[in-house]
Structure formats: C-alpha cells, structure tokens
Amino acid sequence: MEDRFRPFVVPLGILVGLVIAIGVVRAHRVATAPASGGGRVVDQVNANERAATFTFDPSIAPGDRTAILTAVSHANPQAQALVAEVDGLVNVHVGSPGGSAVGLTASRPDGRYDVTLDLGLVWRRYAQRGIDRVVLHELGHVVDFALVPEALDKTLDARIPAGYGCDEQLMGSCAAEEERFAESFAKWATGDIGVDLYLGYKVPPPDDLSAWGAPLAKLLG
C-alpha cells in the first residue's frame, strides 16, 4: 500500500505590517488497494458510487453547503463531470483541519474520502473565489486518487512548470506531485490562475490550461 500525506497551502507572509494568512490543505493518499482490507484501486468506481453524490456532515450549515456546491458549479463542464464521477465517494466536513491547514483530504480503508474544509477562514479572506479554489483543489485530489492512472499523472506533471524556491520544503519547486496536480486541476476547472489569491503551493500554471486538462476529459469516455 502506498500511503502519502501532503499539505495544500494558503501562504502566510507579512508585507509592511499586513499579515496574509497562508493555509495548508493536506492530502492522505492510498494510491492502490492494500493486500488485504480496504482501499481503492484507481478507476474502479462502480455504478452505484457514480450515481451517488456528496455525503454532507449533518452539522454543516445550509449556507456552507451552498458555498461548496456553488464552487463545483463554477467549474467547467468537463471538470464538473469528473467531480460527478467521484462525489459519491466523498464525506464532506466543515471545520478546522488543524494547524495552518484550510482543508484536508484523507483516504479511508473503505475506499471513501473525508474532505474537511475551513470555509469560515477562507470566506473571510477571499470570499467565494477562495472557496472555489480550496473546494476544487480538494476534489482534485479525489479525482486524482480515484480516476487518474499513474502514467497519466506523470504526463500531466511534466506539463506543469517546476516552480521557484523551496519554501518550507512544501512549496514552489518542492511541491509534491499530488499537490501540483490538485492545484493545476483547480486552475483548469475555473480558468483562474490565482493572481492575488494566496492559496496553494506556488506552482505556476501550465502554459495552456485547456491543453493540460484535455487528457482528463478522456477519462470520462
């Protein structure tokens, strides 16, 4: 079993006395099924799972649920279709994931995924635009883990610029492949490359977002 734990970041910096909060979104990945027990094999979403949708924690306020669904609706049709393939695997929670994180995606032994989102913090700083980025970043992890073969992951990663610097061994050129994918997925889904949006891993966008995402659309076939 390949088991990985990675953070998605909202950078924290101080400019002339102005503090810009930076968050981290963490992803805990099970890429292939373990020899025994639970887990999920890539591209093994069954018909019942495809027909299902998000399972929202009962404590989630109606407004928060609306903000999450609005984020999905802001994605392009192909990205929405990919999310629809996997949303039945997702348990959604709202709250602080802990530390500096604003979101967390954790794979479960039963093949499902827990997604936790700090909507309050993100809304206060970036309103719906920020929620779009965090929600689609996290759902990008689920799409990646559930649908994208390793060979395609490598192909897509090769089309993402390396980035600059190596902040905290997490960002820029040190960003993990899983985070590079999720960040690029969110940018491709919305067409928003994140200018003045201090969320993410300082990963530059692909030169052509549409061309980058085209192979993902083929997974819908």
Side-chain angles (χ1 to χ4, degrees), residues 55-208:
T55 298
F56 288 97
D57 188 296
S59 67
I60 295 179
D64 288 343
R65 184 180 301 207
T66 296
I68 293 166
L69 296 176
T70 297
V72 175
S73 76
H74 287 170
N76 66 51
Q78 293 171 332
Q80 287 189 48
L82 286 164
V83 169
E85 289 282 296
V86 302
D87 58 1
L89 308 175
V90 179
N91 303 322
V92 182
H93 310 272
V94 170
S96 173
S100 60
V102 293
L104 173 72
T105 296
S107 61
R108 296 160 46 115
D110 62 2
R112 295 182 61 79
Y113 301 90
D114 285 317
V115 170
T116 303
L117 306 160
D118 192 342
L119 295 187
L121 175 60
V122 176
W123 177 268
R124 288 193 297 273
R125 298 187 181 280
Y126 303 111
Q128 184 65 46
R129 183 186 178 211
I131 291 176
D132 290 356
R133 170 58 60 84
V134 173
V135 168
L136 289 166
H137 178 107
E138 291 308 305
L139 294 178
H141 278 308
V142 180
V143 168
D144 184 18
F145 301 166
L147 298 179
V148 182
E150 183 176 359
L152 179 54
D153 263 326
K154 298 297 184 186
T155 297
L156 293 172
D157 190 67
R159 298 175 181 175
I160 302 169
Y164 304 96
C166 184
D167 297 1
E168 302 175 44
Q169 299 299 309
L170 293 174
M171 294 176 276
S173 62
C174 289
E177 184 177 307
E178 293 94 334
E179 303 306 338
R180 288 164 55 80
F181 176 94
E183 188 162 322
S184 298
F185 179 89
K187 292 172 182 176
W188 166 69
T190 61
D192 183 351
I193 64 172
V195 176
D196 297 327
L197 185 64
Y198 298 97
L199 289 164
Y201 282 84
K202 298 186 178 180
V203 176
D207 291 338
D208 186 331

